[in-house]
Structures are given as structure tokens and as C-alpha cells.
Amino acid sequence: MTVVAKDSGLAGRRAVVTGATSGMGAAIARRLAREGARVAMLGRRQQRLDGLVAELGDQHLGLVCDVADIDAVNDAVAVAANRFGGLDLVVTNAGGALLGSIAEGDPHNWKSFIDVNFTGALSCVHSALSHMESPADVVMIGSTSADRPSSFTAVYAGAKAGVQRAAEGLRQELAPKGIRVTLVEPGRVDTEVSEHAIAEPGAVRGSMGSAFTPLAADDIAEVVAVTAGLPVNVCIGRIVVRPVGQIEP
Ligand SMILES: NC(=O)c1ccc[n+]([C@@H]2O[C@H](COP(=O)([O-])OP(=O)(O)OC[C@H]3O[C@@H](n4cnc5c(N)ncnc54)[C@H](OP(=O)(O)O)[C@@H]3O)[C@@H](O)[C@H]2O)c1
């Protein structure tokens, strides 16, 4: 049975969620759909997208899109906006992890990582903005690593710090237009991220320790649903969410 919270502020919203094929993005898409939003889900894995549309209903869209491809992002966002008659919520979540040292790592990897995790996020917002009017939400998923880089997360933390700084610049840019910008910075979340992580020489896996229970993807979906469902004049600019036991990053 689908439970729809009538006063969530999300019913009828027209959303784009990037990186919706697994982890937090899939949880956010499911949560928004459950609250009555229409959701365009972006990702590269067609089969996952088909499965989500079959699960959530064909009022939603699954759009194959590599967020590193700026033209593909523009096209996918336009398809969503045309189908939904505009957009009022975009969640930039697509990304991954890259662990390794600057001395031994491969700059080609860094470039493609930044193309997805930084430029990809901003180009999704750029595309969505041409279809959005106030009131609307931009929710960007960052990382606690932005403020706490380590010797093997310089590139990862640098990209996420870029997202953090860009989100604040964007908040200031969009405030006069009545568009709310929220940065959500998760700590460790139990997703597929480590399966797809780029591990370069110097990478240290499992360095956050295992003495705590990671967040669930649904925990982040809850945070996104709450913030996007707030009264339109209320903006929580930045939310840092860790499992209670996590110390670093
Ligand atoms: N898990 C954590 O502990 C954690 C903590 C802080 C921040 N984060 C960040 O949270 C975001 C979501 O990660 P997750 O933990 O949910 O991991 P995940 O389960 O691996 O999900 C990553 C999502 O990003 C998509 N993606 C990756 N590269 C893409 C590309 N080039 N174009 C389009 N989509 C792409 C993947 O879809 P396809 O493969 O189908 O394209 C997938 O849907 C990432 O930005 C990650 O850096 C994660």
C-alpha cells in the first residue's frame, strides 16, 4: 500500500533526481514518488531505471543520462520538463568515490571524477533552472569529506568541497528569485558506492572504521523530503548528516 502524506509539501511536485539507479538517489526518488511527486530519474543503467518506473508507476520517467555529458543532461532535463509541464525540484546526487594519492594517482581519473561529481551536478542545476520558477528547490548532495579531507581523499574531498562552495554561491544567486538551495552532506551511508569506487594507488579502504552503523539511504531520503517539504520561505542552507558513531570525516 502506498501511503501519501497529505501535507508534506511534496504532492504534485515535478522533480529530477540524478543518480537514481541505486543508493541515495533511488531512495530519494522512491520517497518523493511516495509523497505524490512526479519524478524523472536519471542514471546510466537502463535496466535499473526500467525497474524503478515499473515499481513506481508510469507517471514517472527513467532517463538514461551520463551527467558528465552536458548536452545529454540538457536533453534529459528538457524531456522531464516537457512531460511534467515544468520542474520545481532538482536533486543533484549522481557521483561516486575516488580514493588515492596525488603522487601516485592518475589525473585522467580525477578529470572524469570532477566532470561527474562537480561539473555534472552544476550542469544539471543549470539545465533545470531554465524550466523552474519560484517556489522551487535545488537540493545538492555533497559529503562530510568536503570539510575533512585526508591523505587519500584529496580529489574526492576537493570535488565535494567544490559542490559545497558552489551550493552557497548558488543559494545567493537564486535567493532573489525565490528558489531555495539546500546542501545535504552525508557521512557514511550504506549504498553501492564502495563497489564502484575508483581505487588508485595509495587508497585506504575502510578507513572510517567499522565501529558504527552507517546511515541507510532512506535516512538521506527522509532529510531531502523534510527540507524540500518545508514552508516555501524556510531555507535550511546546509545539513550535515552522520551516523551517531562516526567521528571522521
Ligand atoms: N555512500 C556514502 O557514504 C556517501 C557519503 C557522502 C556522499 N556520497 C555521495 O552521494 C552520492 C550518491 O552515492 P551513493 O552512496 O548513493 O552511491 P551509489 O549507490 O553508487 O549511487 C551512485 C549513483 O550515481 C550514479 N552515477 C554515477 N556516475 C554517473 C554518471 N556519470 N552519470 C549519471 N549517473 C551517475 C549511479 O548510476 P549509474 O551507475 O546507473 O549511472 C548511481 O545511481 C554520490 O555523489 C556520492 O559521492 C556518498
Side-chain angles (χ1 to χ4, degrees):
M1 187 181 79
T2 304
V3 180
V4 176
K6 292 215 165 18
D7 296 324
S8 69
L10 295 169
R13 299 284 292 272
R14 299 158 299 172
V16 167
V17 178
T18 70
T21 52
S22 63
M24 292 183 233
I28 292 165
R30 287 190 172 100
R31 178 61 188 261
L32 295 177
R34 206 174 76 211
E35 301 280 0
R38 279 174 292 166
V39 187
M41 298 169 279
L42 273 56
R44 291 166 302 175
R45 286 171 287 178
Q46 172 93 62
Q47 221 177 348
R48 296 277 187 108
L49 293 168
D50 292 347
L52 280 159
V53 172
E55 174 190 334
L56 300 176
D58 59 13
Q59 68 274 37
H60 307 287
L61 279 174
L63 299 168
V64 172
C65 175
D66 181 340
V67 299
D69 180 339
I70 292 168
D71 294 331
V73 168
N74 253 326
D75 290 348
V77 170
V79 167
N82 287 339
R83 170 74 84 88
F84 297 161
L87 297 172
D88 45 38
L89 172 57
V90 60
V91 183
T92 64
N93 162 78
L98 184 151
L99 305 173
S101 78
I102 299 293
E104 295 174 78
D106 179 350
H108 296 97
N109 284 341
W110 310 344
K111 185 175 183 312
S112 45
F113 187 78
I114 289 165
D115 282 349
V116 174
N117 287 264
F118 178 73
T119 314
L122 294 184
S123 69
C124 288
V125 175
H126 168 83
S127 298
L129 284 175
S130 59
H131 305 284
M132 287 171 116
E133 285 173 9
S134 171
D137 280 277
V138 174
V139 179
M140 303 189 77
I141 304 296
S143 168
T144 51
S145 291
D147 286 320
R148 294 169 179 273
S150 67
S151 60
F152 55 92
T153 61
V155 175
Y156 177 78
K160 298 301 182 183
V163 170
Q164 183 194 87
R165 299 293 77 201
E168 173 55 17
L170 189 66
R171 186 193 67 75
Q172 295 185 29
E173 178 185 336
L174 298 182
K177 297 179 178 167
I179 298 180
R180 176 164 59 193
V181 178
T182 305
L183 171 69
V184 178
E185 296 185 302
R188 182 78 185 96
V189 187
D190 185 17
T191 67
E192 293 179 13
V193 75
S194 358
E195 286 169 42
H196 307 298
I198 302 168
E200 298 194 312
V204 183
R205 278 186 182 265
S207 58
M208 283 185 276
S210 53
F212 62 87
T213 306
L215 298 171
D218 283 343
D219 296 328
I220 301 302
E222 171 77 17
V223 170
V224 172
V226 168
T227 185
L230 286 169
V232 294
N233 195 39
V234 180
C235 176
I236 302 177
R238 184 178 168 199
I239 304 174
V240 179
V241 201
R242 290 186 183 87
V244 171
Q246 181 178 340
I247 298 170
E248 292 285 346

